[in-house]
Amino acid sequence: MIEIKNVSKTFNGEIKAIQDLSLTISPGEIVGFIGLNGAGKTTLIKMMTGILRPDSGTITINGYDIVKEGLKAKQIIGYISDSPDMFLRLTGLEFINFIADMYHVSDDVRKERIKYFAEQFNLVDALDKPMQSYSHGTRQKMMVIAALVHNPEVWILDEPLIGLDPKSALILKNMMKEHAKEGNTVFFSTHVLEIAEKLCDKVAIIDHGKIVFFGTLEDLKKKYHKKDDLEKLFMEVIQDE
């Protein structure tokens, strides 16, 4: 479970990126996070994962306060950032092992998980090559493996499907569904509304640092007179605020 209560974040003393935001994502839910560029999506995700500190309010991950109990909270989070361009001088295997070391994943367990994910994403031949030689999509797949190698309870994913080929995107979406079926929490941002419609139990729409809608897409359609065009529906929600 992710519980966000009255969280605010201001940059340079004047840019209000997040404004008194509250949101609860329950176990077993897949929640899509939707908003225009600059709406506050990445800022909120970075606070949820402990990269940024809220100015006020609290964020708890399965009961652990991300500020006061940061280490315990981070141990149960699987996080994919909005950029896969990091640690590029390492090989894919070195990078995944580095992450596995931080999460104290045993040698036997990590070997099994790396083998499984590498086969799923067709990365077996890429593991021993430096990540700077990878395409964007291959780097993104390595980020997925690194985020999941410790079998985290809570997945927080910032645009995880960008750059993935259709087969890899489908594999990740199926993994997200299975993870939620096991009673875990999945929270991810996306610009593709069709993905949200097909994959998510609920959507959270953010505009100017505030949640302007949280619920099922069916509820959203009913509120706006059963509109079927998701893009027009989204824009109507934003314009209403």
Side-chain angles (χ1 to χ4, degrees), residues 74-214:
K74 292 173 185 178
Q75 285 174 338
I76 59 174
I77 293 173
Y79 168 57
I80 300 176
S81 77
D82 59 341
S83 172
D85 298 327
M86 57 186 73
F87 299 101
L88 298 184
R89 293 189 178 183
L90 299 180
T91 66
L93 186 58
E94 288 171 340
F95 172 62
I96 297 168
N97 277 320
F98 170 66
I99 300 299
D101 285 343
M102 288 198 296
Y103 286 99
H104 306 293
V105 181
S106 68
D107 288 344
D108 290 342
V109 170
R110 78 175 64 178
K111 285 179 182 178
E112 181 180 339
R113 290 179 183 162
I114 292 171
K115 181 176 183 294
Y116 170 76
F117 286 125
E119 289 175 350
Q120 287 289 304
F121 289 111
N122 195 29
L123 291 176
V124 174
D125 294 336
L127 286 173
D128 292 323
K129 297 177 182 177
M131 292 188 8
Q132 62 186 358
S133 69
Y134 292 172
S135 67
H136 179 92
T138 300
R139 291 177 189 174
Q140 185 71 1
K141 288 188 279 187
M142 284 297 176
M143 294 299 116
V144 172
I145 297 176
L148 305 184
V149 70
H150 63 294
N151 193 28
E153 297 171 24
V154 176
W155 294 8
I156 301 176
L157 318 175
D158 198 355
E159 298 286 356
L161 301 172
I162 287 182
L164 294 183
D165 59 81
K167 180 180 178 180
S168 297
L170 179 60
I171 290 169
L172 179 55
K173 286 186 281 187
N174 287 336
M175 288 179 177
M176 292 163 72
K177 291 177 182 178
E178 288 301 316
H179 193 64
K181 283 182 181 179
E182 294 171 0
N184 300 302
T185 305
V186 178
F187 183 81
F188 76 103
S189 66
T190 180
H191 283 98
V192 185
L193 300 181
E194 288 79 9
I195 290 175
E197 182 176 38
K198 294 176 181 179
L199 184 60
C200 299
D201 300 301
K202 295 178 182 177
V203 294
I205 300 178
I206 187 171
D207 186 41
H208 291 92
K210 298 179 180 180
I211 297 295
V212 294
F213 176 83
F214 179 57

